[in-house]
Amino acid sequence: MDVIAIYPGSFDPLTNGHVDIIQRGARLFDRIVVAILVNVDKAPLFTIPERVEIAREVFKGDAHVEVDTFDGLLVDYAERRRAGVIVRGLRAISDFEFEMQMALMNRRLRPEVETVFMMPAEPYTYVSSRLVKEIVALGGSVNGLVPSVVERRLRDKKLARETLRA
Ligand code: PNS
């Protein structure tokens, strides 16, 4: 039977750290579903359709990677998708407490779904979507930290916002 894994998150925006984890997952599992949470943030930078488009563009041609959206409980979504695994990336000890809490809560809700933690390559251990947004907003470069399609779209968004303000 195929082993399907869900990689859930906000992905606002997708970073190279996420890409690294997805590629690792695609080697381990028959399919990894990048599951973008709908309705997490009231003021997101990218809309859900934009985030889906970005992830699909980055992973186009990779038969092991699927991009989808979900709302409600993650474990219910995993059940609907017949996925036995939830993948989460662990960058540093600071991630651990929240991730452990979520993994154990998800296990309590649905014991048959296992959470698997993966570490990204070292250059991405300090990369986060929040910092990427802050750097771009303040005029810094995020080259190498996000896929080129994200970099381009971040630039376009910044330009659009500046034009609106002018
Ligand atoms: O990218 P993020 O913000 O770290 O992702 C967090 C996410 C989407 C994995 C988490 O908020 C989640 O699973 N939300 C769905 C609702 C849910 O199942 N909540 C209970 C978790 S124990």
Side-chain angles (χ1 to χ4, degrees):
M1 216 178 77
D2 279 2
V3 181
I4 301 172
I6 307 285
Y7 181 47
S10 323
F11 305 107
D12 186 34
L14 187 79
T15 68
N16 280 344
H18 296 131
V19 172
D20 181 275
I21 296 289
I22 296 163
Q23 286 167 341
R24 286 171 202 281
R27 288 198 294 270
L28 268 184
F29 305 108
D30 296 295
R31 193 181 328 151
I32 182 160
V33 181
V34 180
I36 302 172
L37 177 64
V38 178
N39 278 346
V40 64
D41 192 343
K42 287 199 183 74
L45 182 60
F46 289 105
T47 65
I48 298 292
E50 283 173 326
R51 282 179 256 170
V52 169
E53 233 177 82
I54 289 170
R56 289 205 173 130
E57 187 168 336
V58 172
F59 290 100
K60 66 171 176 256
D62 191 331
H64 295 279
V65 181
E66 181 190 326
V67 180
D68 194 12
T69 59
F70 80 105
D71 56 13
L73 279 181
L74 173 60
V75 286
D76 290 346
Y77 173 72
E79 162 86 0
R80 286 200 297 281
R81 295 304 316 264
R82 306 216 183 299
V85 175
I86 292 169
V87 168
R88 292 288 287 171
L90 267 189
R91 291 164 299 191
I93 292 288
S94 50
D95 283 340
F96 182 78
E97 206 171 319
F98 176 60
E99 293 298 335
M100 190 189 73
Q101 217 180 356
M102 266 207 312
L104 294 181
M105 193 58 87
N106 283 331
R107 179 181 285 169
R108 183 192 163 96
L109 292 168
R110 237 177 240 287
E112 60 278 17
V113 180
E114 201 62 58
T115 299
V116 171
F117 293 109
M118 284 197 275
M119 277 177 282
E122 293 90 344
Y124 307 128
T125 47
Y126 57 88
V127 180
S128 72
S129 299
R130 187 182 61 81
L131 282 184
V132 163
K133 283 186 278 197
E134 188 170 318
I135 291 164
V136 169
L138 299 174
S141 164
V142 290
N143 185 262
L145 303 181
V146 295
S148 50
V149 50
V150 173
E151 209 182 335
R152 196 173 63 240
R153 280 175 179 255
L154 283 167
R155 236 185 347 253
D156 292 349
K157 257 200 201 288
K158 190 158 186 276
L159 275 179
R161 286 184 179 191
E162 281 163 5
T163 312
L164 274 178
R165 250 185 269 124

